């Protein structure tokens, strides 16, 4: 079963097509990586999928339902969660309270909420800072907090926009382990510049360039493709 099917997506800004006839299909429990040079249209595409931007044309189906015109909060209720390229947390609240706000969408009572929060924080290795104000976390830990907020909603699809940005080397290694854990029951769409991460976690990689799909295939396929190397990787061969 395909969790997400997007067909012929177009987003136009004053004559510029930031997303130009993009078709994307993501099967259940797949880790799909979306890569491309700056300005390729990745974040705009995520905006269309999440509902934060309206499509100029095209259709988006999520779990078999047309959600093209469904607002973001209803997509979240249906099982779609996402993190932003720029962190979006409540800095004056504690780490626990941040995740609890997200978890309460599904939890029936505070006891359930506490259990879900504890599990989400444990999975992203932030349990030890549960009572710390979010503003006092490092930028990398704020990124992990956002992921915990997404996980607390038990999503069918988790969209992560530049999740390793700001993470230390050890934190990136933990993030890779986390993705392998998440994929057991959640489909992941990962927008990522760190090619080492992409090569280690992705089943399929979709490459955008100038708002269009340039190439799609396995990490090994991407490694070997000359067009991708020229457009995105600067002609350099990427090691897995």
């Amino acid at each position: 079963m395909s969790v997400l099917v997007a067909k012929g997506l177009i987003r136009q800004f004053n004559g510029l097509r930031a997303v130009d006839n993009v078709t994307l299909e993501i099967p259940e429990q797949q880790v799909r990586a979306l890569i491309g040079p700056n300005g390729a249209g990745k974040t705009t595409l995520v905006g269309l999928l999440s509902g934060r931007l309206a499509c100029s044309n095209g259709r988006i189906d999520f779990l078999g339902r047309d959600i093209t015109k469904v607002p973001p909060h209803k997509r979240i209720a249906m099982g779609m969660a996402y993190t932003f390229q720029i962190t979006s947390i409540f800095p004056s609240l504690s780490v626990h309270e941040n995740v609890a706000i997200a978890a309460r969408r599904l939890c029936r009572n505070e006891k359930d909420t506490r259990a879900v929060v504890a599990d989400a924080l444990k999975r992203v290795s932030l349990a030890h800072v549960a009572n710390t104000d979010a503003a006092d976390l490092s930028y990398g830990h704020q990124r992990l907090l956002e992921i915990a907020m997404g996980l607390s909603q038990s999503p069918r699809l988790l969209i992560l926009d530049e999740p390793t940005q700001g993470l230390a080397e050890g934190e990136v290694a933990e993030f890779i382990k986390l993705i392998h854990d998440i994929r057991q029951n959640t489909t992941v769409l990962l927008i990522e510049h760190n090619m080492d991460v992409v090569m280690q976690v992705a089943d399929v990689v979709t490459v955008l360039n100038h708002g269009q799909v340039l190439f799609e295939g396995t990490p090994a396929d991407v490694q070997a493709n000359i067009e991708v190397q020229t457009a995105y990787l600067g002609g350099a061969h990427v090691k897995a």
Side-chain angles (χ1 to χ4, degrees), residues 222-223 225 228-230 232-239:
V222 169
Q223 239 185 329
N225 187 272
V228 174
Q229 291 179 27
T230 301
Y232 178 51
L233 306 174
H237 185 71
V238 176
K239 296 180 180 179

Side-chain angles (χ1 to χ4, degrees), residues 48-239:
L48 299 179
L49 299 178
S50 63
R52 290 184 286 116
L53 291 174
C55 297
S56 302
N57 206 349
R59 171 174 170 145
I60 304 169
D61 284 9
F62 179 58
L63 300 175
R65 176 182 167 186
D66 183 359
I67 62 164
T68 311
K69 296 184 179 180
V70 172
H73 69 277
K74 290 188 177 180
R75 298 187 195 200
I76 292 172
M78 292 172 63
M80 182 185 294
Y82 52 86
T83 67
F84 296 96
Q85 188 176 21
I86 300 172
T87 53
S88 180
I89 58 174
F90 302 97
S92 62
L93 300 181
S94 72
V95 169
H96 176 97
E97 290 167 332
N98 268 268
V99 182
I101 288 173
R104 288 190 184 105
R105 295 177 186 272
L106 295 178
C107 294
R108 293 171 296 179
N109 53 55
E110 283 303 307
K111 182 179 179 181
D112 287 347
T113 299
R114 286 195 297 272
V116 168
V117 172
D119 178 67
L121 291 178
K122 181 180 178 182
R123 293 177 75 182
V124 301
S125 301
L126 289 182
H128 64 292
V129 292
N131 296 319
T132 301
D133 285 349
D136 294 333
L137 296 181
S138 68
Y139 182 76
H141 280 176
Q142 289 180 0
R143 303 294 290 171
L144 293 174
L145 172 57
E146 273 198 304
I147 295 173
M149 292 168 72
L151 290 176
S152 72
Q153 299 171 57
S154 299
R156 293 288 299 277
L157 173 66
L158 179 61
I159 302 174
L160 303 174
D161 195 351
E162 300 288 355
T164 66
Q165 182 179 316
L167 297 188
E169 186 175 340
E171 292 170 336
V172 171
E174 288 299 315
F175 172 79
I176 290 170
K177 292 179 183 177
L178 175 62
I179 293 298
H180 288 308
D181 171 55
I182 291 172
R183 68 171 304 152
Q184 301 305 314
N185 49 28
T186 304
T187 303
V188 178
L189 174 60
L190 177 72
I191 297 84
E192 183 56 66
H193 276 297
N194 187 325
M195 292 304 297
D196 286 337
V197 172
V198 170
M199 294 297 165
Q200 290 185 60
V201 303
D203 299 307
V204 175
V205 181
T206 298
V207 185
L208 284 188
N209 193 33
H210 301 301
Q212 298 179 328
V213 175
L214 172 67
F215 185 80
E216 193 167 85
T218 66
D221 294 333
V222 169
Q223 239 185 329
N225 187 272
I226 299 299
E227 282 187 293
V228 174
Q229 291 179 27
T230 301
Y232 178 51
L233 306 174
H237 185 71
V238 176
K239 296 180 180 179

